[in-house]
Amino acid sequence: MLLRRVCKTFFILISAVFMITGVYAQELDAELVQEFETEEIEEELIEQNTTTALSFDDVFIAEIDQSNILIKDADSSDLLYTIETPYKAIRTVTFVNPGFFVSDSTYYIAFITDTNLVEMRQLSFEADDLGNNFFYDEIIFSMQGTKSQSAPQEPPQEEPEETPEEEEKHEYEGLALIRYKNTDTISFKIKVSYIPKPYILGISFAAGFTEYRLIQPFYFGGFLEPHVGIPQKAFPYKYELGGTELNGPLIVGGKIYAPFGICVFPFQENIEFFAEIAPGISANMMWNSKLGKDSITSKVFPAFYASLRTGASWKGFSFFIEGNYDAILGFGVSAGFGYSLNFDLSTTPDHAPSLE
C-alpha cells in the first residue's frame, strides 16, 4: 500500500511538471509572435532584397546558401552554424531588431523563400563549462507573404511531392521551442534521506556518468552511491556479534543503479527539467562505528533497490527529490543537490537538437 502511494505521488508530480512547462512554452511562443509586426518584417525583406545580412551589433553575418542560412563570424568569416530549412530556396535574409531586450546571446533572423513564404527564427548561443559556444535555432512564426517581390521570371515548375519524412517534419514544427541536452555529463550528488525506524536519517554521496545524446530526449547512465544510515537515540534492539554487543549500530553500504529518464529545456532560460527511474542493487551491513581492533561489522546483505526521481538544474547545479525502495531498509524519501560537468566527445559540429 505504501509503495503504491509513493509511486502515485511521484507520477502525479512528474506529470504536473511537464504540463506546466508545456503551457509556459506555448504562452511564450504567442507573446513573441505578438511583439513582432509581420507586415513590417515582410516590407523590410522586400526592400533590402539581399543574400547577406549583418547583425545589429556587427558580430555575425548571415549568408544564403540555397535552402540554408550560414552564420559566420563578422571579423574572420569563419562558419559558426548552419540554419537548415525544408524549403527549396531562400531569396532574402535579414537580422530583425525585436524592439525589446531579450538577451545578449539571442538574435532574430527573418527570410523570404522562393514561394514568398515569410519565416522568422530565433538564433541563440550558449557557452558550456569548457568555454565552447554552441548554437541552436527555433521557429518563431511562419506565414505566407502577401506582397510581391521583384525577382527574375522563371518557367513554372512542378513542385515535388513531399515525402512521408517531410510531412512528419512539418507536423512536429510546433515543438521547436523545446530543446534537448546536447552534452554528456559526469555528475556528483549529495543526498539526505528519511529511512524507517529504528533508523532516522541516511546520508549518501553519488558519482556517475550520464549519456544524453544517443536517444534524445531520453537519457541513461550508471551511478555508484555509498551511504550511511544513522540510528535514532532510543535504539530498541541489542545485537551480539562474536560475543560482543552492538548497541545502536550504523548501517553502511552502497548502491549501484542505472537511471533512465527524460530531460528537456522548455524555457528560453537554461533551466533543465528531468524525471527518471533508477533500478539497481544495494549492499548493507551493520557497524559499531569504531576503527581498529574494536571495529565490529555484520555480514553484507545484498538487496534490490529502485527510485523515482524528478528535479531541475541550472548551469550544472541541480536539485531533486525522490522516493526510493530498498528491500532491506524499506521505503524512504530523499532530497539532494548536485553538480554536473558537461563534455562532448563527438568530432562533428554540435547542432541544435531536433526531432529528425
Side-chain angles (χ1 to χ4, degrees), residues 181 185 212 219 262-267 269-274 311-319 340 342:
K181 196 174 184 70
T185 63
Y212 289 91
Y219 64 87
I262 183 172
C263 167
V264 296
F265 291 81
F267 302 149
E269 296 83 1
N270 299 319
I271 301 176
E272 162 195 351
F273 284 84
F274 59 89
S313 67
W314 177 75
K315 292 188 176 181
F317 294 95
S318 63
F319 173 79
S340 298
N342 298 321

Side-chain angles (χ1 to χ4, degrees), residues 70-98:
L70 308 181
I71 306 299
K72 297 183 178 180
D73 185 275
D75 295 328
S76 63
S77 298
D78 293 337
L79 179 62
L80 303 177
Y81 182 67
T82 300
I83 299 178
E84 300 177 351
T85 75
Y87 310 114
K88 185 177 180 181
I90 298 174
R91 287 181 177 176
T92 303
V93 65
T94 187
F95 282 90
V96 176
N97 187 348

Side-chain angles (χ1 to χ4, degrees), residues 43-60:
E43 290 176 355
E44 182 178 354
L45 287 167
I46 294 175
E47 180 181 350
Q48 291 186 4
N49 193 22
T50 176
T51 58
T52 63
L54 181 65
S55 63
F56 292 95
D57 54 4
D58 299 330
V59 175
F60 301 112

Side-chain angles (χ1 to χ4, degrees), residues 46 69 117 133 140 157 168 173 191 193 208 292 296 349:
I46 294 175
I69 299 175
L117 182 73
N133 290 335
I140 301 300
Q157 297 180 359
E168 183 177 356
E173 280 182 350
K191 185 172 69 177
S193 307
I296 300 175

Side-chain angles (χ1 to χ4, degrees), residues 163-211:
T163 64
E165 291 79 6
E166 291 175 336
E167 292 178 355
E168 183 177 356
K169 180 177 179 179
H170 291 307
E171 181 180 354
Y172 288 102
E173 280 182 350
L175 298 178
L177 281 177
I178 299 180
R179 296 180 283 126
Y180 309 147
K181 196 174 184 70
N182 266 340
T183 57
D184 303 324
T185 63
I186 295 177
S187 301
F188 305 93
K189 303 175 184 178
I190 296 177
K191 185 172 69 177
V192 177
S193 307
Y194 167 78
I195 54 180
K197 296 179 179 180
Y199 291 83
I200 188 171
L201 186 67
I203 301 174
S204 61
F205 174 81
F209 165 79
T210 308
E211 165 63 59

Side-chain angles (χ1 to χ4, degrees), residues 241-247 249-250 286-298:
L241 290 176
T244 304
E245 288 189 354
L246 270 70
N247 296 320
L250 298 175
M286 293 184 294
W287 178 44
N288 66 345
S289 69
K290 295 182 180 180
L291 301 175
K293 63 180 182 179
D294 296 326
S295 176
I296 300 175
T297 61
S298 70

